[in-house]
Amino acid sequence: MGFTDLRYTVNVSILFTELPLLERPAAVAASGFGNVEMWWPWPDAAVPDRGRLDALRRAIEEAGVRLTGLNFYSGQLPGPDRGALSVPGVAAERFRENVDVVTEFAGSLGCRALNAPYGNRIDGVDPAEQDELALDNLAYAARAAHGIGAVLLVEALNRVESPRYPLHSASAAVDVVNRVNSLTGLGNARYLMDLYHLGVNGEDVPAAIDRHAGVTGHVQIADAPGRGVPGTGTLPLRAWLERLTDAGYDGLVGLEYMPGDAGSGGAFEWL
């Protein structure tokens, strides 16, 4: 299996954003793809009204695409937040309220990968307290995900754009994954390997691939600098994807990059 055998899913929270949310699944289909993923689409509401959920479900179904990945509520993303589950108070409460909403929605569409952004460090709060809260909430989410046959994803972000996010390496994220699996006994927590974030951090990506491919549940890509279309920056994404397939990864690759001047319709020519 090689690069040309990979299957892709288009992240409509960063691509096709020139269109209203409900028009993006059809645009993905018109571009020749059958899979979509997204961040939590309503930063203003952890528990949106039923009408918004039903409208998005219809848009995905009518476009004939499959929802392959969905984030849990993460605060203002894009924006200053990087997740809610480790942030004491209202943020973590909203995350908990959101878990059943996400699993019900994902389950109704056959989505089997749910991403749980960890959240930033907060001034005046003991990091150990945040980590304890995070583990409790991640275990809660993992159990809910297990109920629909889904995996719970944990990812590392880059320290340049997310300096207050505590997971800045593959090993840090995988350590959290292992802690969640140990606590629940379910084994459905997995690592989300975002090659863009690892590349920006200067990590030894081939070594991370070799070490963590077995626990990787999803992969996302963008080029650097600029989080752009593959081939517009300096990251050897093709080589890394080849190495992933050689290491046994046979899951989807999320296209989570900015489309650039070509616009979303021209963002796939590199393939």
Side-chain angles (χ1 to χ4, degrees):
M1 182 176 181
F3 172 80
T4 56
D5 300 305
L6 290 167
R7 296 181 302 137
Y8 299 93
T9 182
V10 179
N11 193 303
V12 294
S13 295
I14 193 168
L15 285 160
F16 294 106
T17 56
E18 68 274 15
L19 298 174
L21 175 64
L22 299 184
E23 296 179 18
R24 296 176 201 170
V28 169
S31 295
F33 295 92
N35 302 310
V36 299
E37 65 179 24
M38 64 184 69
W39 306 336
W40 180 243
W42 302 290
D44 63 313
V47 184
D49 64 73
R50 176 61 61 179
R52 294 166 94 178
L53 291 162
D54 289 344
L56 180 56
R57 184 184 293 108
R58 283 195 303 272
I60 293 169
E61 291 174 336
E62 291 173 1
V65 296
R66 185 167 66 103
L67 181 65
T68 61
L70 180 65
N71 280 18
F72 288 101
Y73 172 80
S74 306
Q76 292 296 321
L77 182 67
D81 302 320
R82 294 292 184 269
L85 62 90
S86 69
V87 181
V90 173
E93 291 169 5
R94 287 177 177 166
F95 173 83
R96 280 270 182 155
E97 294 169 350
N98 176 249
V99 167
D100 286 344
V101 179
V102 165
T103 51
E104 179 184 359
F105 183 78
S108 72
L109 289 167
C111 176
R112 297 294 181 260
L114 305 177
N115 183 28
Y118 198 86
N120 290 329
R121 292 301 193 207
I122 304 299
D123 289 338
V125 180
D126 185 348
E129 178 185 340
Q130 285 197 253
D131 291 339
E132 182 178 356
L133 176 63
L135 183 59
D136 185 44
N137 280 334
L138 285 167
Y140 180 82
R143 294 184 183 105
H146 179 73
I148 63 167
V151 297
L152 175 82
L153 298 171
V154 178
E155 71 175 314
L157 302 183
N158 74 76
R159 61 178 58 87
V160 176
E161 297 168 329
S162 306
R164 299 181 69 84
Y165 189 87
L167 309 181
H168 285 150
S169 68
S171 60
V174 170
D175 180 63
V176 172
V177 165
N178 291 337
R179 290 173 184 268
V180 174
N181 285 333
S182 177
L183 180 60
T184 66
L186 297 174
N188 70 325
R190 307 284 284 175
Y191 172 45
L192 195 169
M193 183 180 290
D194 189 309
L195 298 178
Y196 166 72
H197 290 302
L198 297 185
V200 171
N201 279 335
E203 184 147 351
D204 184 342
V205 176
I209 289 170
D210 294 345
R211 189 176 301 118
H212 303 303
V215 75
T216 296
H218 187 46
V219 171
Q220 291 175 329
I221 61 170
D223 215 333
R227 197 175 181 135
V229 176
T232 61
T234 62
L235 300 183
L237 293 171
R238 287 178 182 267
W240 290 347
L241 291 174
E242 288 277 10
R243 195 176 187 106
L244 267 164
T245 60
D246 290 344
Y249 179 76
D250 61 358
L252 292 168
V253 174
L255 307 182
E256 195 189 42
Y257 50 75
M258 305 291 288
D261 294 338
S264 298
F268 311 112
E269 294 178 2
W270 68 278
L271 285 168

